[in-house]
Amino acid sequence: MTLVLPPRLTASARLLRETARRRGLRIAHLPGFDVPEGLRPGACHLHAGPSFADAVASTLDIAPLEAPADWTARLPREFTRRDIRAVPIGEAYGLRRPAFVKSPNDKSIAALVYADGSRLPGPDAVDPGTLVLVSDVILFRTEYRLFLLDGRVHTGSRYAEDGRLRPGPLSAGALTFGAELLSAAGAGLPSAIVVDVGVTDTGAWAVVEANAAWASGCYHSDPGRALDVVLRGAGPAAELGERDRAFVRVTGR
């Protein structure tokens, strides 16, 4: 099996690369977005950003898993502590209040607090039908990344405090909240995924967002266990379980 990596490697990608090598995987660090001869379709996994995945996954018969675009919007408020809606950006142009707006599964719309809908990228830059997540603005004091595999927290890490990057160990509270979340809403996620959670300024636990495992940094998570989730999250389409077929990202676009 081969782990395919993009031209630019993050610190997390380098860590996972070395972990994969120790496990006996071949590493294919590609210099660009073209798939070279010699890579065998149906025998590859992927760790990269969405644009690279969109360029190479279909050629290599890789099935990248991601959460449904509206997963956080469908969560009960007890898990979000705020209103979240999944709407076309054309509808979001009508916002007349500050809101946090982002793309569900990539970074095509910058994840920011926008003063109102007029500050969003306009129809000259973005198709008005493009789906975005619009949420109330809340403050997270501490944020954690959970790598989820088969309905359980497989590993995880703190990654931020008061909005600043500060990796550290996973807390017991994050583990407990993650287990409660999976019990209530795990059926709506693929078997391998990342969910970020945190503690708000009111002391309540809440979901931050869901992310594709294959595009996520592992921070202080156990790299071997994070790699388990990455490999399942973007592996050969022929090995895809029936349950995960609904969660495959449409690539080659």
Side-chain angles (χ1 to χ4, degrees), residues 143-147 153 155-160 166-171 174 195-197 217-222:
E143 296 168 75
Y144 297 87
R145 173 150 293 172
L146 306 178
F147 280 82
V153 178
T155 188
S157 166
R158 185 185 70 214
Y159 66 90
R166 193 180 175 194
L170 191 62
S171 72
V195 172
D196 294 342
V197 302
C218 58
Y219 300 109
H220 281 193
S221 302
D222 180 288

Side-chain angles (χ1 to χ4, degrees), residues 114-185:
Y114 293 86
D116 57 50
S118 69
R119 306 301 178 92
L120 290 164
D124 58 329
V126 181
D127 185 323
T130 300
L131 194 72
V132 293
L133 293 173
V134 177
S135 74
D136 295 337
V137 180
I138 65 171
L139 181 63
F140 283 95
R141 291 296 187 192
T142 312
E143 296 168 75
Y144 297 87
R145 173 150 293 172
L146 306 178
F147 280 82
L148 309 179
L149 187 65
D150 293 328
R152 295 186 178 184
V153 178
H154 200 57
T155 188
S157 166
R158 185 185 70 214
Y159 66 90
E161 288 187 329
D162 294 323
R164 296 185 178 182
L165 185 66
R166 193 180 175 194
L170 191 62
S171 72
L175 279 169
T176 298
F177 181 71
E180 293 171 353
L181 174 67
L182 286 168
S183 177

